Amino acid sequence: MSAHCQLTGTKPGFGNKISHSHRRTSRRFDPNIQHKRYWLPSEGRNVRLTLSAKAIKTVDVIGIEAAVARIRARGGKV
C-alpha cells in the first residue's frame, strides 16, 4: 500500500532514529493512511479513496463532492 493521501497529498517523511548512545539510523514517518468508501451521489456510485486521518475529517466538513473535485483538480483519478 502506498503511503500517500489522495486529498492532501501527504507522503512519508524521513529522518533518523537516535539511539541511547546517539547513533543515527534512517527511519520513515508514515502518515495515518486509511481506505474509505464514500457514496458519490452525482455519479450514482461508490468511490474508494486512500486518505489520511486528517483528510477523512476534511471530507466530513467540506463534503464528498467538493473533496472529489479537489482530488481531480490535483490531477488524481477517482
Side-chain angles (χ1 to χ4, degrees):
M1 169 174 51
S2 174
H4 175 261
C5 176
Q6 288 180 296
L7 181 61
T8 60
T10 307
K11 294 180 182 177
F14 295 90
N16 290 315
K17 280 186 194 172
I18 302 181
S19 69
H20 179 69
S21 64
H22 218 64
R23 281 179 171 256
R24 292 178 169 96
T25 54
S26 292
R27 66 159 293 178
R28 181 173 148 149
F29 296 90
D30 284 329
N32 185 5
I33 297 294
Q34 309 291 326
H35 292 292
K36 188 107 167 88
R37 195 175 74 159
Y38 291 98
W39 174 251
L40 195 57
S42 64
E43 297 181 16
R45 67 183 182 104
N46 286 312
V47 290
R48 188 165 181 254
L49 301 175
T50 305
L51 301 172
S52 63
K54 183 178 179 179
I56 291 172
K57 294 172 190 172
T58 302
V59 171
D60 291 342
V61 172
I62 67 172
I64 186 62
E65 297 288 345
V68 167
R70 283 190 193 180
I71 292 169
R72 288 182 173 147
R74 293 182 73 238
K77 182 182 171 193
V78 177

